Amino acid sequence: MSRTLDGVTVVVTRPAAQSARFIELATAAGAHCLAYPTLLIEPLALAPAVAGELQQRRWDWAIFTSTNAVSLALANLPQPLATRHAAIGRATARALEQAGLRVDARPDNATSEGLLALPEFAELTGRSVLLVKGAGGRDLLPSELRVRRATVLELEVYRRVVADPDPTAVAALHDALASDRRVIVTVTSAEILRALLDRVAAGDAARLRQQPLVVPGSRVALEALRQDWKGPVTQAATAEDEAMIAALARAASAG
């Protein structure tokens, strides 16, 4: 891999369980990665009514929205969940395949919009769909699946909880921001960005806002503006590792 990130300190704010591959790729490109996870992933048990509905039919599709959705659903729910499986994102697809499940649909664009554009989900009259996801988030996917006349059951198998910052990471971030090192911040959701800014000291938050920021798309870029981010914002095509690394390289070359 080309060492496009030599001399750059990359602040990695993803939950620790999701950041290993991104850190590996960034390090191979020459970056020094500073792990500063802002959220924890907490498993959720299904509500009794949801668990009961899950058992009442043979489901046509199970759509997995993340690697967390895959790991927690496979660990805690009866299998198989559905006849066919769809994944949002390459990492989610890899997690399903590593578990021995065939991926029947995956959009090139790792978003809800990308999945809804697939021909498999154009007409869903009489079809039943499980949406395996974290608590909260956008309502676009379940709403649009229902508009297309699918029976949809949302299985919320985890939630994101704001993490208490690790003192070692806090000190490392403070030192990086106070030094003359090149620092680029990466976030993969508006929720992560808000948690990051809420969990640093006021002086470090002000310095953070001056740094280049890499985000996955316009929604998170807009949130950065709402949070008064001053540094340049580079948009990746998606939150997938490869897309974020490519955007990170662009941000580094622009600096």
Side-chain angles (χ1 to χ4, degrees):
M1 174 181 287
S2 174
R3 294 182 65 84
T4 54
L5 300 177
D6 274 337
V8 177
T9 295
V10 177
V11 181
V12 182
T13 57
R14 287 181 176 182
Q18 295 176 294
S19 63
R21 187 167 181 272
F22 177 82
I23 289 175
E24 179 183 351
L25 292 173
T27 301
H32 168 71
C33 290
L34 196 166
Y36 200 96
T38 59
L39 300 177
L40 298 174
I41 302 301
E42 184 176 276
L44 289 177
L46 296 183
V50 174
E53 188 175 351
L54 175 63
Q55 298 299 320
Q56 287 177 5
R57 69 170 72 223
R58 183 177 180 85
W59 295 85
D60 295 306
W61 282 97
I63 298 173
F64 294 83
T65 62
S66 68
T67 57
N68 290 318
V70 173
S71 61
L72 291 169
L74 296 184
N76 298 313
L77 298 180
Q79 302 298 320
L81 284 176
T83 304
R84 304 177 75 186
H85 306 90
I88 298 181
R90 282 176 285 190
T92 306
R94 279 195 299 267
L96 285 169
E97 290 166 348
Q98 288 167 0
L101 297 175
R102 187 180 68 190
V103 177
D104 299 289
R106 177 184 70 80
D108 292 332
N109 181 0
T111 63
S112 297
E113 290 87 347
L115 184 128
L116 290 167
L118 294 176
E120 291 90 339
F121 299 101
E123 170 52 51
L124 294 169
T125 301
R127 299 294 184 182
S128 56
V129 179
L130 296 172
L131 185 54
V132 191
K133 60 191 284 288
R138 302 167 67 203
D139 192 47
L140 172 67
L141 187 52
S143 295
E144 184 59 30
L145 291 171
R146 291 183 177 109
V147 166
R148 298 178 187 189
R149 300 182 179 276
T151 297
V152 179
L153 180 62
E154 298 179 56
L155 303 182
E156 295 186 339
V157 295
Y158 67 94
R159 66 177 178 178
R160 305 166 190 85
V161 180
V162 175
D164 291 328
D166 176 73
T168 301
V170 170
L173 179 61
H174 174 81
D175 290 346
L177 294 171
S179 73
D180 59 0
R181 282 180 271 169
R182 296 183 65 200
V183 176
I184 301 178
V185 183
T186 62
V187 302
T188 52
S189 72
E191 185 180 13
I192 285 176
L193 179 59
R194 290 190 294 268
L196 172 65
L197 293 172
D198 285 346
R199 287 298 188 274
V200 295
D204 285 343
R207 294 187 186 97
L208 266 179
R209 287 182 169 92
Q210 302 296 325
Q211 309 308 316
L213 176 67
V214 174
V215 302
S218 59
R219 290 196 308 277
V220 189
L222 182 59
E223 181 63 26
L225 292 177
R226 293 193 187 103
Q227 296 294 328
D228 198 29
W229 200 274
K230 305 295 187 185
V233 178
T234 301
Q235 295 184 32
T238 70
E240 293 182 297
D241 293 329
E242 294 83 359
M244 290 291 287
I245 290 292
L248 189 55
R250 294 200 306 273
S253 66

